Amino acid sequence: MAERTEGGGRGDARDAPGYELPLLLFAGFRSLIDQLHAELARQGHPDVRPVHGFAMQAIGRDGATAVAIGRRIGVSKQAAGKTVDRLESLGYAVRTDDPADARRKLIRLTPHGFDALARSAAIFDRLRDEWAETLGRDRVQAMESDLRAVTPPQAFRLDAAGWLGG
């Protein structure tokens, strides 16, 4: 039986209670997201919040309606509309006429929005490299492979904001 270490952890992960796994996964996720946003702020995007990143991913390169954004991030059309309003006020998105349907508006990313996403991708690559330096590249690759093996194929969903919000 492993003994608890001074920090409250356990020396042998096999003895850890099951509830620690999701907490550790969430703590790793939160650590990456917090570091990402601190660096984005330093690089000229101080107002971007995690929900904005999910929404900008949902908007994508081709644009999307508020209904589609809401569905993709797991919130109501009204909540998606409020997020889009905020993205517009910050200069990350703009509403445009939908060429396929004059009754609808498409939300499109601005160059500022695309810049935030490109910087996010580069920052995530750097953060992954930092984890690889700390843990070892093979361990990070194995962790990613193991997580792919235990998660369903549709696991890459953007609706974390709605899921976490209840």
Side-chain angles (χ1 to χ4, degrees):
M1 177 101 159
E3 294 185 27
R4 286 191 180 273
T5 62
E6 189 172 309
R10 294 176 184 243
D12 186 343
R14 290 175 295 170
D15 294 332
Y19 69 84
E20 284 188 8
L21 177 60
L23 294 175
L24 288 168
L25 289 168
F26 183 72
F29 171 80
R30 178 69 192 258
S31 174
L32 289 169
I33 296 300
D34 288 349
Q35 290 175 68
L36 167 80
H37 285 277
E39 184 58 28
L40 276 175
R42 282 190 284 280
Q43 293 187 22
H45 296 280
D47 297 314
V48 173
R49 301 292 176 259
V51 70
H52 300 148
F54 286 116
M56 286 191 284
Q57 288 290 331
I59 293 167
R61 293 202 169 278
D62 298 326
T65 65
V67 171
I69 294 166
R71 186 175 52 252
R72 292 174 187 166
I73 64 174
V75 298
S76 69
K77 176 185 173 184
Q78 292 77 14
K82 286 182 182 181
T83 300
V84 169
D85 289 345
R86 184 67 178 143
L87 289 173
E88 272 192 306
S89 73
L90 294 170
Y92 290 100
V94 63
R95 285 182 171 91
T96 63
D97 291 330
D98 185 343
D101 185 345
R103 297 168 296 171
R104 292 190 318 182
K105 292 286 185 184
L106 277 181
I107 294 88
R108 295 189 181 277
L109 295 176
T110 64
H112 194 52
F114 282 116
D115 182 67
L117 288 180
R119 289 176 186 272
S120 293
I123 294 165
F124 275 132
D125 286 344
R126 183 182 54 80
L127 292 171
R128 185 187 182 282
D129 288 343
E130 288 175 10
W131 278 37
E133 188 176 310
T134 300
L135 302 173
R137 191 157 303 280
D138 290 344
R139 288 187 68 192
V140 170
Q141 289 172 343
M143 177 176 51
E144 291 168 334
S145 179
D146 290 345
L147 288 169
R148 283 185 195 99
V150 298
T151 54
Q154 69 276 15
F156 289 124
R157 295 173 35 198
L158 300 174
D159 66 348
W163 180 73
L164 290 173

